[in-house]
Amino acid sequence: MRGRERERAEVLRLLAGAPGPGAHVLLVEGEPGIGKSILLAEAAAAASALGTGVATGRADELERMMPLAPLLSALEETTTRAAVARSAFPGGPGLLMWLAERVSTTLERRAAAGPLLVALDDLQWADPVTLMALRTLPSRLAGHPLAWLLARRTTGDDDGERLFGLLEQEGATRIALRPLDGAAVARVAADALGAVPDAELTALAAQAAGNPALLLALLTGLREEGVVRVDTGVARPANAAGPAGESAPAGAREAGETGDAGETGEAGGCGRAEATAGFAETGAVAGTLPRRLHAAVRRRLEEVSPRTRHLLEAVAVLGRSFCPSYAAELLGEPPAALLPALDEALAAGLLVVTPEELAFRHELLWRSVLETVPAPVRQALRRQAERVPPPAAPVAAALIAWDEGRLSRGLELAREAAEPLPGIPGPSGRRDPQPRAVLAAMLIDLGLLDEAEKITAGSAAEAAGRPAWAAAVLVLRARLDLAAGRADDAAEQAEAALATAAGLDVPDLACLALSALGAAALRAGDLPRAVRALASGQAARSAGTPYGRLRAELTAGRIVEARDGATAAMTRLGGLYDGLAGHAGVLTGEPAAAAWLVRTALAAGDRRRADEVVAAAEDLAGRNPCLPGPPVAAAHARGLRDRDLAALGRAAAGYADPWARASAAEDLGVLLGAAPGRRDAAVGTLDGALSGYGGVGARRDAARVRRRLRELGERRRHWERVDHPDSGWSSLTGTERAVCDLVSQGLTNRQAAEQMFVSEHTVAFHLRQIFRKLGVRSRVELARLAALSAAGPDGG
């Protein structure tokens, strides 16, 4: 009962109140496997220890036709025994009334001997007569020393919900068992494994999403099958290196080793044919889940019809989440034909509803369903999914693969979709420019800028008279400029894209444009411009598909972190962190995205989130061994989390993107600066980061590195002498304009100093210069003058 201290306290409170007057009722609910039965068993044990009588029973799906079966079982009564005692066996409604009276009389008799706990489990399967009896018995017997502990699943149980609602209105206490938090999961893992789990096993355990039944089945199965060993008090995969060589599994992942030579096959051997694991298949724990977990999932699946099981097996190839209409196309049926099976899966708690799609409730559940489908069938279903016939299917399949993190396959599908069609006029041989836009965006993600530039330039001529395509070209140009280190140009292109797309109902386009604008403004050090992009993009971010929306959310989180700090950013980004297992493609939006997410989580004190990002980044690298970028990004993320100098060094040397390379060098320099005797190495590394940031116009990042160097006793000149007029807007230096922008937005001197990575004294000095040059005497006057200047020509 790790992590259930509050619930245990409620049980003890219930038992303590049982001898007194009144109806003592505790209602327990939660998803399947969340721990309801364990809580009831512990309650029964605690009651026995206190000298309280115990009557325990449970409803059974196969006994729903037997009236009052749970109560009769709890009281050790049967209809036959009761009929013999009465010497008559009534029929029809008389039987139900007689049985109900018999239950009430037995409860009174048992309670007369002392306090009694009645604990009933699985009431989602209770028959109507039992529900009616439980509606009245607690209040009817309130004068007796009785305590009621009633439990039900929260999935697909309307009658049970009505009963619990009515009892709660009459004073019952209701508690919902939630998934275990990270600390409780760690304690359960330590109990099950007999030692503290290492990072790899911790990441695997996180796939149970805090469900105790799945978690214990996983960990116990791993231990039973001998794939875990304990070394110096730490549980590790059996084939992982010990403490002196803990980086060995990570090195294997970076080299793209699969740990399973049986199934490669996709994209010329560069990737797997299945999107099987949110946990890295390349890690030291084999991709195959333990038999005990498969058995637990199989028991869950036996609660639904064969048709629903077959549907779940088929849609599992689409990923943990899927679009019902796409699933219908895959199966060759109209969407309406799938509704009964989907409803049953939702009612059984196997699927959940997300804003855009349906998803398997737990990642381990999805993986188990997928693994139990024979490999040839999985491959056939995957190939069928990639041949779905609607016109948009090739692009949709490419985006699905990309979103799931199957980058090699997504790129291959995008190339196929962008190939010219015979018999179609026009310079590209296609009427629809979307496939080329998708292909260009993927190439930019992978750093293949020359090819992306060629596709974008070749498509620009077709944009005339087509606002959406014209805006898409501008977005691509903004992203190309950003990748090439032209942050100011990127911001201008992104704003032009937004203006071109104004009035168009294309939320993904707006998401991508706002994402490019916010990233460019941040990199250029223009926080006010980034904040304006954040404010204007809320509607688009709520309407876009995962491909565009999550990328915009990542940029929005970076803006919030720059303005308000890591804790505020974490509050905003919870959904993005939670969705990484199913939407790993968001990590490709910029090369160092995973590292930033880890850095932010650690700054906010959320180690669990940092672990989830590292697991997702390493999974992405493992599934794309032929692409150089993902392993480098995974090494950067892992190096930050583990404070691993070697991993950060590999990232600083391995990135193709100059900004990402500078970011890794900065992280390495910070870590070196904290190590005894490594000051000179830290200064040299930070100088390299400063040069890298300067080369791509990342003024905000460069300012931060200069502050780090100052903290090490080194100062770096960053200004150029330029002749300016004595007064007016044109008299302000670049630094003074930055101070003016921030102060005009309402920031204090301290807040502005934090944004510019300078001292508060320096901001105050520049502010005095601004007041003198503009002839103002207060912040209010400055803000008014700045607003007038933004609305018209130079106000000087």
Side-chain angles (χ1 to χ4, degrees):
M1 290 298 292
R2 296 290 194 181
R4 300 297 189 208
E5 291 75 15
R6 182 181 67 84
E7 292 81 359
R8 186 183 291 110
E10 289 289 351
V11 168
L12 295 176
R13 191 176 298 114
L14 172 76
L15 296 175
H24 307 289
V25 184
L26 180 61
L27 310 172
V28 180
E29 59 189 11
E31 66 178 74
I34 203 65
K36 302 180 295 296
S37 299
I38 295 177
L39 181 63
L40 265 63
E42 288 219 349
S48 297
L50 293 172
T52 298
V54 178
T56 61
R58 69 173 59 241
D60 189 291
E61 190 173 18
L62 299 179
E63 295 181 350
R64 299 188 78 167
M65 299 302 294
M66 298 177 61
L68 292 170
L71 279 164
L72 291 170
S73 173
L75 298 172
E76 300 179 347
E77 294 276 4
T78 67
T79 54
T80 303
R81 182 188 306 171
V84 170
R86 188 174 183 269
S87 301
F89 197 86
L95 172 62
L96 300 182
M97 294 178 62
W98 175 69
L99 285 174
E101 189 60 33
R102 179 80 184 184
V103 166
S104 179
T105 301
T106 303
L107 284 169
E108 291 177 355
R109 175 174 53 80
R110 293 276 299 271
L116 177 66
L117 170 68
V118 181
L120 302 178
D121 200 0
D122 286 333
L123 290 178
Q124 72 276 359
W125 289 321
D127 61 279
V129 182
T130 295
L131 295 176
M132 183 60 67
L134 293 176
R135 170 71 183 87
T136 58
L137 284 173
S139 57
R140 179 179 172 184
L141 301 177
H144 297 76
L146 275 170
W148 298 83
L149 181 54
L150 311 178
R152 61 178 276 269
R153 289 184 186 179
T154 50
T155 52
D157 177 26
D158 293 339
D159 291 337
E161 169 58 30
R162 281 192 287 271
L163 170 66
F164 274 36
L166 291 169
L167 291 175
E168 188 177 21
Q169 289 176 14
E170 295 179 354
T173 299
R174 189 194 309 214
I175 56 175
L177 295 184
R178 305 295 182 190
L180 300 178
D181 61 20
V185 167
R187 293 198 297 272
V188 171
D191 292 341
L193 299 172
V196 176
D198 72 349
E200 192 167 354
L201 289 174
T202 298
L204 181 57
Q207 292 184 15
N211 184 282
L214 289 177
L215 180 64
L216 286 171
L218 169 71
L219 298 172
T220 305
L222 290 175
R223 190 189 63 214
E224 290 173 345
E225 295 178 14
V227 296
V228 173
R229 66 180 173 85
V230 176
D231 186 6
T232 63
V234 177
R236 294 183 174 85
N239 59 337
E246 287 182 339
S247 62
R253 278 190 292 273
E254 290 177 8
E257 295 175 12
T258 64
D260 177 4
E263 296 174 6
T264 52
E266 188 176 295
C270 293
R272 287 184 171 272
E274 304 86 18
T276 52
F279 178 71
E281 292 179 332
T282 55
V285 174
T288 302
L289 297 170
R291 291 184 294 274
R292 178 181 285 268
L293 178 67
H294 286 316
V297 172
R298 187 164 57 250
R299 288 192 294 273
R300 291 283 309 279
L301 293 176
E302 288 171 354
E303 297 176 6
V304 299
S305 66
R307 173 170 170 74
T308 298
R309 288 199 300 273
H310 296 156
L311 171 66
L312 293 172
E313 290 167 353
V315 299
V317 304
L318 300 178
R320 182 179 171 185
S321 61
F322 61 93
C323 173
S325 61
Y326 190 77
E329 293 287 353
L330 171 68
L331 298 174
E333 298 188 42
L338 302 185
L339 287 179
L342 292 174
D343 284 344
E344 186 180 21
L346 289 165
L350 299 168
L351 298 179
V352 293
V353 178
T354 70
E356 294 88 14
E357 301 172 317
L358 299 179
F360 285 84
R361 179 177 286 273
H362 304 97
E363 186 169 356
L364 283 179
L365 174 66
W366 164 57
R367 286 186 59 190
S368 178
V369 171
L370 191 58
E371 284 187 14
T372 53
V373 178
V377 178
R378 288 202 303 268
Q379 292 167 0
L381 287 169
R382 176 66 64 189
R383 286 192 292 268
Q384 181 179 344
E386 292 165 354
R387 293 196 304 265
V388 172
V395 174
L399 290 174
I400 288 172
W402 199 265
D403 188 44
E404 291 176 352
R406 296 183 297 121
L407 307 183
S408 295
R409 184 56 177 160
L411 185 62
E412 179 183 346
L413 290 168
R415 289 191 189 281
E416 292 175 0
E419 287 180 357
L421 294 177
I424 302 296
S428 67
R430 272 196 174 273
R431 297 186 190 278
D432 182 10
Q434 185 195 20
R436 292 187 306 288
V438 170
L439 175 58
M442 291 178 176
L443 292 168
I444 295 170
D445 280 356
L446 297 176
L448 303 174
L449 303 186
D450 290 342
E451 186 179 356
E453 174 66 45
K454 185 182 296 185
I455 293 173
T456 302
S459 303
E462 303 172 22
R466 308 176 74 172
W469 180 227
V473 169
L474 289 168
V475 170
L476 292 172
R477 292 217 172 277
R479 296 195 60 207
L480 283 165
D481 282 337
L482 191 61
R486 300 184 293 269
D488 292 326
D489 292 343
E492 296 298 333
Q493 295 278 12
E495 288 196 329
L498 287 171
T500 304
L504 298 176
D505 185 19
V506 189
D508 261 8
L509 187 57
C511 279
L512 295 171
L514 289 164
S515 179
L517 175 58
L522 268 187
R523 193 171 293 185
D526 192 346
L527 183 63
R529 192 179 202 176
V531 170
R532 289 195 296 271
L534 172 69
S536 64
Q538 184 60 46
R541 287 196 304 275
S542 63
T545 64
Y547 178 81
R549 176 174 52 79
L550 292 175
R551 290 169 182 242
E553 280 299 327
L554 176 64
T555 302
R558 299 197 68 161
I559 296 169
V560 171
E561 187 271 337
R563 184 186 60 186
D564 303 322
T567 301
M570 290 297 295
T571 301
R572 184 184 192 96
L573 290 172
L576 188 147
Y577 279 94
D578 291 338
L580 282 178
H583 300 291
V586 70
L587 297 181
T588 67
E590 65 173 68
W596 181 84
L597 288 168
V598 168
R599 191 184 303 110
T600 303
L602 292 176
D606 195 336
R607 174 80 180 194
R608 178 179 67 85
R609 297 284 201 200
D611 290 341
E612 290 171 354
V613 178
V614 172
E618 293 185 337
D619 175 52
L620 190 67
R623 285 194 275 171
N624 299 279
C626 290
L627 298 176
V632 177
H636 191 179
R638 186 176 60 256
L640 273 172
R641 183 195 63 183
D642 299 342
R643 299 180 64 80
D644 186 335
L645 289 170
L648 290 176
R650 288 195 298 273
Y655 275 123
D657 181 87
W659 183 89
R661 194 162 55 244
S663 175
E666 180 185 358
D667 290 325
L668 177 59
V670 170
L671 193 55
L672 286 168
R678 305 298 296 272
R679 178 189 174 280
D680 290 346
V683 169
T685 303
L686 289 174
D687 274 336
L690 182 61
S691 176
Y693 285 141
V696 295
R699 292 189 285 274
R700 186 172 191 274
D701 301 305
R704 185 179 58 247
V705 173
R706 283 193 295 271
R707 184 192 65 185
R708 298 191 190 283
L709 285 165
R710 287 197 299 273
E711 291 169 353
L712 293 174
E714 299 285 333
R715 291 187 174 275
R716 298 292 181 265
R717 176 180 175 180
H718 62 282
W719 60 86
E720 296 179 0
R721 183 171 299 279
V722 178
D723 291 331
H724 291 281
D726 292 333
S727 62
W729 286 109
S730 56
S731 70
L732 301 184
T733 66
T735 302
E736 289 167 350
R737 283 186 176 274
V739 171
C740 180
D741 286 340
L742 293 171
V743 170
S744 298
Q745 293 286 324
L747 274 67
T748 65
N749 284 10
R750 173 173 295 181
Q751 291 169 327
E754 291 172 353
Q755 293 300 327
M756 299 179 66
F757 306 103
V758 297
S759 70
E760 190 174 350
H761 171 77
T762 299
V763 171
F765 169 79
H766 286 301
L767 194 56
R768 289 194 296 272
Q769 295 294 97
I770 293 168
F771 281 12
R772 178 183 62 78
K773 291 180 179 182
L774 298 183
V776 298
R777 292 183 293 180
S778 71
R779 291 170 178 266
V780 174
E781 287 185 67
L782 178 61
R784 181 181 61 80
L785 196 59
L788 291 174
S789 176
D794 190 325

